[in-house]
C-alpha cells in the first residue's frame, strides 16, 4: 500500500504519531526558554532575598544598640549614616520593616510568576505587582542617587560615609535592584504564549 495513503488513513482515524505533527513556526524552543527564564528568576530572587535579609539583620542588630563594626555609636553614625547622632531604635526598626516588606513583595511575585505568565487579574494582585516592581525602582534610585551625591560631594556627610557609599553601599543597592528586577520582571511574550497553552 502507498505510504501517503496510509498516512492519510492514520490521520483520519486519529492515530498519527505526535512526532509527525508539524510544530508551528515560532513555537520551537519556547519550552526550553521558559525553563531558562524560570531558572534565572529563581536564582535572582534567591540572591536578592539573601542580600535584603543580610541588610535587615544588620539593621536589626544596630536597633539593639550595637555599634558593630565601629567602636562607638557616634563612629557608627559617621560610617553608615554620614551625620550624627545615629538614628533611634524605632527609626532603625522602621528600616528593618521596610526591608522585610520589600523582600516579601519580591519573593511573593517571583513565586507567582513561576506558575503564572500573565498579569494578576484581581485589584489586590495588581497592586501587589506594582509594589513589587517598585522595590527594584527604589533600590536603583538609592544606588544611583548615592553614587551621584557622594561622587560630587553634595549635601553634608562624613568622608568615611562617602568613601564607603561609593565603594559598597550604593553599588550594593544597584546590584540588589538588578537582581530584584530579574526576579519580578514581566514574562516574555513567548513564555506568556506557553502559559496560555498550558492553561487550556
Amino acid at each position: 500500500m502507498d505510504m501517503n495513503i496510509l498516512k492519510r488513513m492514520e490521520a483520519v482515524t486519529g492515530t498519527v504519531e505526535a512526532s509527525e505533527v508539524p510544530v508551528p513556526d515560532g513555537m520551537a524552543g519556547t519550552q526550553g526558554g521558559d525553563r531558562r527564564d524560570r531558572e534565572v528568576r529563581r536564582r535572582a530572587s534567591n540572591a536578592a532575598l539573601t542580600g535584603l535579609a543580610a541588610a535587615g539583620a544588620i539593621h536589626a542588630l544596630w536597633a539593639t544598640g550595637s555599634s558593630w563594626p565601629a567602636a562607638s555609636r557616634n563612629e557608627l553614625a559617621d560610617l553608615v549614616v554620614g551625620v550624627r547622632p545615629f538614628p533611634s531604635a524605632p527609626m532603625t526598626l522602621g528600616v528593618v520593616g521596610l526591608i522585610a516588606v520589600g523582600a516579601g513583595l519580591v519573593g511573593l511575585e517571583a513565586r507567582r510568576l513561576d506558575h503564572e505568565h500573565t498579569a494578576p487579574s484581581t485589584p489586590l494582585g495588581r497592586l501587589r505587582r506594582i509594589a513589587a516592581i517598585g522595590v527594584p525602582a527604589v533600590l536603583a534610585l538609592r544606588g544611583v542617587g548615592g553614587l551621584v551625591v557622594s561622587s560630587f560631594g553634595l549635601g553634608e556627610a562624613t568622608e568615611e560615609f562617602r568613601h564607603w557609599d561609593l565603594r559598597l553601599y550604593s553599588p550594593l543597592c544597584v546590584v540588589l535592584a538588578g537582581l530584584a528586577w530579574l526576579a519580578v520582571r514581566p514574562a516574555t511574550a513567548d513564555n506568556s504564549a506557553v502559559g496560555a497553552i498550558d492553561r487550556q
Side-chain angles (χ1 to χ4, degrees):
M1 182 179 293
D2 184 57
M3 291 300 297
N4 290 331
I5 296 176
L6 180 59
K7 287 183 178 181
R8 291 192 186 98
M9 291 174 61
E10 289 175 338
V12 170
T13 58
T15 60
V16 176
E17 294 291 335
S19 61
E20 295 175 356
V21 179
V23 177
D25 292 339
M27 290 298 293
T30 54
Q31 292 288 359
D34 183 53
R35 285 193 295 272
R36 287 191 298 272
D37 184 72
R38 289 186 181 190
E39 184 62 23
V40 169
R41 191 184 304 283
R42 287 194 190 101
R43 292 187 179 187
S45 174
N46 290 338
L49 294 181
T50 299
L52 290 170
I58 292 173
H59 281 79
L61 179 65
W62 292 336
T64 66
S66 171
S67 61
W68 182 88
S72 68
R73 296 287 282 184
N74 280 336
E75 290 182 12
L76 181 65
D78 292 340
L79 183 64
V80 301
V81 182
V83 294
R84 297 183 182 184
F86 193 84
S88 64
M91 290 181 65
T92 307
L93 287 174
V95 174
V96 175
L98 289 174
I99 292 173
V101 170
L105 288 168
V106 170
L108 287 172
E109 184 62 12
R111 283 196 292 272
R112 185 190 72 80
L113 288 168
D114 257 351
H115 304 287
E116 301 176 20
H117 299 280
T118 57
S121 58
T122 65
L124 180 59
R126 288 192 291 270
L127 180 61
R128 189 173 65 189
R129 169 141 185 82
I130 291 171
I133 293 175
V135 173
V138 170
L139 288 169
L141 183 63
R142 165 61 184 89
V144 175
L147 290 172
V148 172
V149 170
S150 292
S151 294
F152 292 96
L154 304 177
E156 294 183 2
T158 62
E159 288 303 316
E160 294 93 337
F161 173 80
R162 293 192 195 279
H163 174 86
W164 288 107
D165 192 36
L166 288 172
R167 288 162 178 77
L168 179 61
Y169 310 146
S170 291
L172 181 60
C173 285
V174 172
V175 170
L176 288 175
L179 291 170
W181 171 248
L182 287 175
V184 304
R185 75 193 190 286
T188 63
D190 283 346
N191 289 342
S192 297
V194 173
I197 292 172
D198 289 342
R199 287 190 297 274
Q200 289 180 354

